[in-house]
Amino acid sequence: MRYQYGSDGGSVVTDAAGNAVVDRPGAVWTARTGGSQVTDLLTLAGTATGGTITTDSRGRIAFQGPDGVTATLWWDGGDGTRWAILPTETDRIARGQVETYGVLASTVGEPGGPASLDPTGHLEQDQLPDLSASYLARPAGGQSGDALLRGPSGAPYWGRLTAGTTSPWAALEQQAAPRWIAHRGAALLAPENTIEAFRMADQLNADALELDVYRTPDGGLFCMHDTTVDRTSNLSGNTASLTVPGALRGRIDAGNWFANSWPSDLRIPLFADALAEIGNHIPIIVHCNNAGSGALAVAEIQRQELDHAVLIMAWTEAELAAARAAGIPSLLLDADGVLSGQTYAGLLAAGTQYLGVDYSQTSNTTINAAAAAGLRVIVYTVNRRSHFAALPTTGSVWGVVSDDPWYVRGNSQMRTSDLFGAGTFYHGMPGITDAGDYRGFFQSPSWFGLDASGTAMASNGGYVSCMQGYLGPLPSTFTLDFDFVIDTSDYATASMQVAFSVGDTQYDDDTTGTSAKPNGYNLLVRTNGTIDVYRVTGGTSTSIGTVATAAITTGTTQHLRIQMTATQIIVTRTNIAAPNSVTATDSTYRGGLYPHFGVRDTKTRWANVAVT
C-alpha cells in the first residue's frame, strides 16, 4: 500500500482482512532500506512526533511532510516493510497557497481571517490571522521543496529533511577527501566518452565522472575529447567543425583503438543523451573544450533541470561565465596550478571554487597553497598507485581524476587469476606511453595478447607491454603460472617477457632510466628457447641467469612457472623435458612487485594466469 502525507484523501493502514488499523505506531525513514530515522516531523496538529507516527482513528498516517518536490519518505510499521509516502494533491495545493500568500486562501473572509488581500495578492501585516498549525507561513530562507520542521526552541521552521533532498553535487561535497572521478567515464576500462563508459562508471559506483563536450557550428554539443575526431571515431577532421548530423552519422570505432573485442559502431553521444542517461545518477564534471561550449552546456543542463548534479570545467574563465551566472559549480584547469594573470583569491571572488591541476606538472607545495587559499583542488589524470601515493596526504587533494579510479584507489576486486575470458580490460591494465592507446588484444576463449611483430611497434624498437596490476602488489614469495603462445616471431631471439617492477610504474624495455624502466626483474623467453633473467637497477639491466632450452614452435601452447623465493628466482618451462629451468640467486627486490607482460618483435598471447 502507498501511504500519503497528511490525512485528506490519504490511504489508510489496513490489516489482512482490509480493516483499518488504528493507533498503530510506525517510524518514518529517509530511505526504503537503511537511511536515517526522521525525528523532526510535526503532526497535522502542529506537535512534534519524536520520530514515531501513530495512525489516527481512521487508520490514516497524519503528519506534516514535504511537498511534491521533496524526495519520498518511508513508513515502517514494525514488520520490516517500508512503504513509500507521497504528498496528497490537497497538501500540494495548500502549500502552494501558503508560499504565495502566507495563509490558506480559504480563510479569506472567514471569521477571524483576513478581510482581503492587498493589490499584490499578499496579506496586510495587521490582518494576518492565526494560521492553521498544519500550514505555517514559511520564514525567510525557505524554498520550494522544504519540509515544516520544529527547531530546538520549539518554533517551526522550513528546512531540508532527508538525504534524498541533497543534490548529487552537494552529496559529493559531503564525502571525505579525496573523491574519485572516472575520467572520460574511466577510459582504461571502457571506450572513452561513450554511453557505455558512462553507464559503467555509474554501475561501479564511481564518486563522479568526467566527460568532454564540443560545441558544433550548428549549435549542438557532443561528447569527444580530442581536437580532431580521427583517433576515436570512423570520421576525420576537426572536432569543432563537426555538425550534429555529422556526429550522428559517425561511430566510435572502439574495436580499432580500444580493444579488438569491442564493437566499432558505438554511437557518438550527444551531450543531451549523456545527461538523460546518467543525470541524477552520479555527479558529472563537464569539460567544455571550445568557445561557446560552456554556455551551451549550461543551457542544456538547465533544460534537463540538472543544475544540482554537475560542475562545469574549462581551461578559460570565459567558458565558466555561464556556470557562474547560473550558480553551477565551476572549475578552472591550470596544469601547474600556479595560475597566470589570476590569483587564488581572485578566482574565488569571480565565483569559481575548484582548481584542476596535472599531477605530473604541479607540486605538492602548489596543491597545498591552493587548498589553503580555499580552493578545492582536483588532480588529474592519476592512473597508477605510485603516482597517487606521491600526492599530499594533508587533505589538500579534494578529488582525483583517473582512467581507472577503482584500481588506483585500491578498492577494486584484486585477483590471483586473470579474467581474460571477459574479453576486455580489467582493473590495473595500463599500457606504456610509447605504445599510445595500444594495450593488447583478446582472443576466444580466454586469451590476452600483445603484438609487436613486423612493424606494429617499430616506433618503440619493437617492444610493448601491459601491466597486470590486478595481481599486485605481489607478496615477497610467490609462484606465477601461465600458458603462452608465440604466434609470430620476427627472428630467433625475439621474446615473450615478464617484468616485475618495484611499484606500479610502467615498464618499457626499450628505454633506459628509472622513469620507464623501474627497479625489479625482467624475464625473457626467446623463440629459440633461451630463458634470460635480468635484474634491473637504476634503469640498467644486468644478467643474473640464463639457460638454453628447446626452441619454441610458433603457434604451440607453452607453460611457464616463475617461482620467487626469499633468495632465488626459478623460471621453468614445465611442458618440456630438461634442460627446462634456470635458477637465479638474487634477493635484491622482494614484496610490492607488480607484473607486466611484454613482447619484443613477437605476437604472443597468455591464458590461465594464476598466482599462488
Side-chain angles (χ1 to χ4, degrees):
M1 179 184 296
R2 174 173 290 171
Y3 301 105
Q4 298 178 304
Y5 292 128
S7 58
D8 294 338
S11 300
V12 297
V13 180
T14 58
D15 59 21
N19 299 312
V21 179
V22 301
D23 299 325
R24 180 178 179 181
V28 177
W29 299 83
T30 61
R32 186 184 187 94
T33 59
S36 303
Q37 184 178 346
V38 178
T39 60
D40 50 4
L41 287 168
L42 304 179
T43 68
L44 291 181
T47 58
T49 67
T52 299
I53 304 295
T54 302
T55 53
D56 64 13
S57 59
R58 295 172 59 186
R60 300 170 302 184
I61 303 171
F63 64 92
Q64 182 64 47
D67 65 11
V69 179
T70 309
T72 301
L73 295 181
W74 305 83
W75 187 82
D76 187 342
D79 59 2
T81 301
R82 293 184 186 171
W83 302 99
I85 311 169
L86 299 175
T88 65
E89 188 64 22
T90 302
D91 187 48
R92 269 195 219 97
I93 294 170
R95 185 167 305 285
Q97 293 168 339
V98 171
E99 292 175 353
T100 303
Y101 307 117
V103 66
L104 288 174
S106 60
T107 63
V108 176
E110 293 292 319
S116 62
L117 302 177
D118 67 18
T120 68
H122 290 76
L123 293 168
E124 297 288 351
Q125 196 68 25
D126 60 359
Q127 293 200 15
L128 284 173
D130 291 331
L131 300 179
S132 161
S134 302
Y135 300 110
L136 297 180
R138 185 180 64 202
Q143 57 184 322
S144 180
D146 287 350
L148 185 62
L149 313 176
R150 186 176 291 282
S153 66
Y157 70 99
W158 294 90
R160 292 284 159 167
L161 190 62
T162 75
T165 62
T166 302
S167 71
W169 197 264
L172 188 67
E173 282 277 10
Q174 294 169 11
Q175 291 182 212
R179 293 88 175 159
W180 292 86
I181 301 156
H183 185 230
R184 307 180 196 172
L188 281 174
L189 298 179
E192 65 181 63
N193 283 313
T194 61
I195 292 295
E196 287 74 15
F198 304 153
R199 287 172 176 166
M200 179 199 66
D202 178 29
Q203 180 68 39
L204 294 182
N205 295 314
D207 293 335
L209 71 82
E210 182 263 2
L211 56 81
D212 297 273
V213 296
Y214 268 87
R215 184 185 189 276
T216 65
D218 52 354
L221 278 176
F222 69 97
C223 298
M224 191 168 287
H225 172 267
D226 295 1
T227 56
T228 68
V229 299
D230 300 57
R231 179 176 66 90
T232 59
S233 82
N234 61 358
L235 305 174
S236 62
N238 293 329
T239 307
S241 299
L242 196 64
T243 63
V244 169
L248 291 176
R249 79 176 176 87
R251 290 295 183 267
I252 301 295
D253 55 350
N256 292 328
W257 56 268
F258 180 73
N260 64 305
S261 51
W262 278 78
S264 287
D265 60 350
L266 303 179
R267 288 188 176 275
I268 299 173
L270 299 181
F271 180 53
D273 295 336
L275 288 183
E277 180 71 31
I278 56 171
N280 269 332
H281 287 214
I282 184 172
I284 305 168
I285 294 177
V286 183
H287 184 182
C288 300
N289 281 277
N290 64 335
S293 57
L296 207 58
V298 167
E300 181 60 33
I301 288 163
Q302 290 179 318
R303 188 179 74 84
Q304 297 199 31
E305 299 180 349
L306 290 171
D307 313 50
H308 55 285
V310 301
L311 173 143
I312 296 294
M313 177 173 78
W315 285 100
T316 66
E317 291 191 69
E319 292 308 311
L320 304 180
R324 290 169 173 173
I328 295 173
S330 60
L331 177 151
L332 180 67
L333 289 165
D334 190 86
D336 62 13
V338 175
L339 299 185
S340 176
Q342 180 59 286
T343 64
Y344 297 151
L347 191 61
L348 286 164
T352 293
Q353 296 179 309
Y354 298 81
L355 178 67
V357 299
D358 183 341
Y359 84 93
S360 67
Q361 298 187 52
T362 191
S363 68
N364 286 358
T365 299
T366 297
I367 293 172
N368 288 333
L375 287 167
R376 296 167 173 82
V377 181
I378 296 180
V379 182
Y380 67 90
T381 301
V382 183
N383 289 339
R384 298 181 186 269
R385 293 170 178 172
S386 53
H387 296 159
F388 172 64
L391 294 174
T393 57
T394 57
S396 297
V397 176
W398 187 91
V400 178
V401 175
S402 174
D403 291 320
D404 187 354
W406 305 273
Y407 164 75
V408 179
R409 186 179 192 174
N411 68 342
S412 59
Q413 295 297 314
M414 294 296 100
R415 301 183 56 79
T416 56
S417 60
D418 70 82
L419 276 177
F420 298 155
T424 191
F425 297 103
Y426 192 64
H427 300 288
M429 293 182 69
I432 59 176
T433 302
D434 287 346
D437 282 328
Y438 183 76
R439 289 185 288 153
F441 64 90
F442 295 87
Q443 183 173 318
S444 181
S446 56
W447 294 95
F448 163 74
L450 293 163
D451 187 358
S453 63
T455 59
M457 285 294 156
S459 61
N460 194 43
Y463 178 84
V464 66
S465 72
C466 181
M467 189 173 77
Q468 309 297 304
Y470 55 89
L471 299 173
L474 293 165
S476 297
T477 62
F478 61 87
T479 298
L480 173 63
D481 280 277
F482 56 82
D483 295 329
F484 72 97
V485 175
I486 298 179
D487 287 309
T488 307
S489 178
D490 291 357
Y491 45 85
T493 56
S495 58
M496 178 277 291
Q497 303 188 16
V498 181
F500 297 97
S501 64
V502 177
D504 67 338
T505 56
Q506 68 171 337
Y507 189 91
D508 187 347
D509 195 43
D510 196 55
T511 65
T512 58
T514 56
S515 62
K517 202 170 183 179
N519 293 346
Y521 302 99
N522 194 23
L523 286 53
L524 283 67
V525 179
R526 303 181 188 275
T527 311
N528 63 10
T530 300
I531 302 175
D532 288 312
V533 181
Y534 293 91
R535 180 182 61 242
V536 184
T537 301
T540 300
S541 299
T542 302
S543 176
I544 58 174
T546 186
V547 66
T549 69
I552 296 173
T553 301
T554 56
T556 62
T557 300
Q558 309 291 315
H559 187 87
L560 197 71
R561 173 169 294 163
I562 303 170
Q563 296 168 278
M564 188 83 68
T565 72
T567 58
Q568 295 179 325
I569 304 169
I570 306 166
V571 185
T572 307
R573 290 177 62 191
T574 63
N575 61 301
I576 64 170
N580 65 346
S581 183
V582 59
T583 298
T585 300
D586 186 276
S587 58
T588 307
Y589 306 113
R590 291 296 185 277
L593 298 175
Y594 285 77
H596 309 250
F597 289 161
V599 293
R600 183 178 293 283
D601 297 317
T602 69
K603 178 181 180 181
T604 300
R605 49 194 162 97
W606 295 261
N608 301 317
V609 180
V611 174
T612 55

